Amino acid sequence: MATTDRGFVMVNDGADDEARRRIFFLDDRCAVVRTVSYPSRPRDTEDLAVGADGTVWVADIGDNDRSRQTIAVWKLPPGTDRPVLYRMAYPDGPHDAEALLVTDDDRPVVVTKYSATLYAPSAALRPGTTAPLVKVGQVRLPASTTSNPFGALGRTAVTGGATAPDGRRVVLRTYADAYEFDVADGDVVAALTGGTPRVVALPDEPQGESVTYDRDGRSLLTVSETAGRPPGTMPGILRYPLPAAVPSPAPTATPGPTTPAAAGAGAARSGGGTYLVAAGAVGLALIAVGLVALARARRARSR
């Protein structure tokens, strides 16, 4: 998921259901106002980004079996209704990846899941051709002890990324933590390979594979997959304030259940506080209901 000036953009993670193979646009009240279909079937969409010009980038980069000869990004420029496919190929064989960042000069940076290696195209992306990727660096994440369902592996597997609205920070997440880096002069690669991140614990999320910034850049929003969980499970959308990056108001909680075990709710801890954000339903409604609660919380804080 990603935030925009008008609301939110959402994609499903590699959904097999044709009805879910869409790019979903929500308004600031979390009502679906537009959906865009892919012209051909994506393989495994894992992340998305919205560029400074409003272009939506969908990262079709998942490869659990490490069998893909090419990966891809789909680009949807503002005012269009047909995503364009751009293929890319690793220089050293297949990798599984779930995180995508886009630089100021519209260069996609793919972050592999298990080695946190950075790859970027060495040539301009063109439809109908395959751009070669080159290794541009590697992220060394700090050691972590944060509790998560996947133990030590979950603390090192990179499952999502996002850029702050002002472009001066980027974040990568694992199943356990989020790592926020300061970006100088638009150089995302230098930030990730040479910077020291601020760490936000994301404890015990069921299968956290999404992260984005709130539109004001003061909080992170996350959501987990529901694959393998009981039918009807409500995924929790969680909000983590960033007190280390900007001053934060006193912790508040939206009305609702106060334990992660309650259906459709989750507790997120950051900086010693507990924050509650109600959750949405599976599929198209996966984000909508949860973000309604978030939008209500925003409006309440602005009064």
Side-chain angles (χ1 to χ4, degrees):
M1 60 179 169
T3 54
T4 70
D5 289 335
R6 297 183 178 181
F8 306 90
V9 186
M10 315 289 174
V11 295
N12 279 280
D13 180 355
D16 292 328
D17 184 349
E18 193 278 335
R20 297 180 181 179
R21 293 197 293 270
R22 304 280 193 277
I23 303 171
F24 299 98
F25 293 82
L26 284 66
D27 65 16
D28 60 0
R29 289 180 171 268
C30 306
V32 177
V33 296
R34 181 187 177 205
T35 65
V36 176
S37 300
Y38 301 97
S40 58
R41 179 170 180 164
R43 289 282 299 275
D44 189 358
T45 54
E46 289 285 354
D47 204 0
L48 65 79
V50 178
D53 65 350
T55 295
V56 175
W57 296 69
V58 179
D60 192 349
I61 58 177
D63 190 9
N64 291 332
D65 298 328
R66 295 173 181 79
S67 60
R68 296 179 64 168
Q69 298 304 305
T70 62
I71 59 173
V73 290
W74 299 84
K75 291 179 64 175
L76 181 69
T80 63
D81 59 6
R82 186 179 176 85
V84 178
L85 181 68
Y86 298 87
R87 299 186 185 277
M88 304 177 293
Y90 292 109
D92 51 359
H95 297 274
D96 192 18
E98 297 186 355
L100 177 77
L101 298 168
V102 177
T103 65
D104 287 348
D105 58 354
D106 285 341
R107 191 185 192 196
V109 178
V110 177
V111 188
T112 61
K113 185 172 184 178
Y114 294 109
S115 64
T117 303
L118 309 178
Y119 291 89
S122 61
L125 300 180
R126 301 183 186 281
T129 65
T130 299
L133 291 168
V134 293
K135 181 178 177 179
V136 293
Q138 187 167 18
V139 185
R140 299 191 182 280
L141 299 177
S144 168
T145 59
T146 302
S147 176
N148 72 96
F150 306 100
L153 183 63
R155 299 183 188 109
T156 60
V158 178
T159 62
T163 301
D166 61 7
R168 296 178 181 177
R169 292 166 288 145
V170 294
V171 64
L172 296 177
R173 71 157 299 161
T174 66
Y175 288 116
D177 302 279
Y179 299 91
E180 187 184 45
F181 298 80
D182 291 320
V183 178
D185 302 320
D187 196 335
V188 171
V189 172
L192 293 173
T193 56
T196 300
R198 291 175 291 273
V199 183
V200 178
L202 313 175
D204 297 318
E205 292 191 0
Q207 188 173 342
E209 297 197 2
S210 181
V211 66
T212 192
Y213 283 88
D214 198 355
R215 194 58 201 162
D216 61 11
R218 298 169 68 90
S219 301
L220 297 177
L221 307 179
T222 72
V223 69
S224 288
E225 288 190 12
T226 58
R229 304 180 69 194
T233 297
M234 297 289 187
I237 300 171
L238 307 179
R239 173 181 175 269
Y240 297 84
L242 294 167
V246 292
S248 294
T252 59
T254 59
T258 58
T259 65
R269 296 181 293 278
S270 176
T274 298
Y275 304 82
L276 178 72
V277 178
V282 179
L284 175 58
L286 174 121
I287 308 297
V289 177
L291 288 175
V292 166
L294 178 61
R296 288 173 178 166
R298 284 177 175 169
R299 291 195 294 275
R301 293 197 302 271
S302 66
R303 292 193 183 108

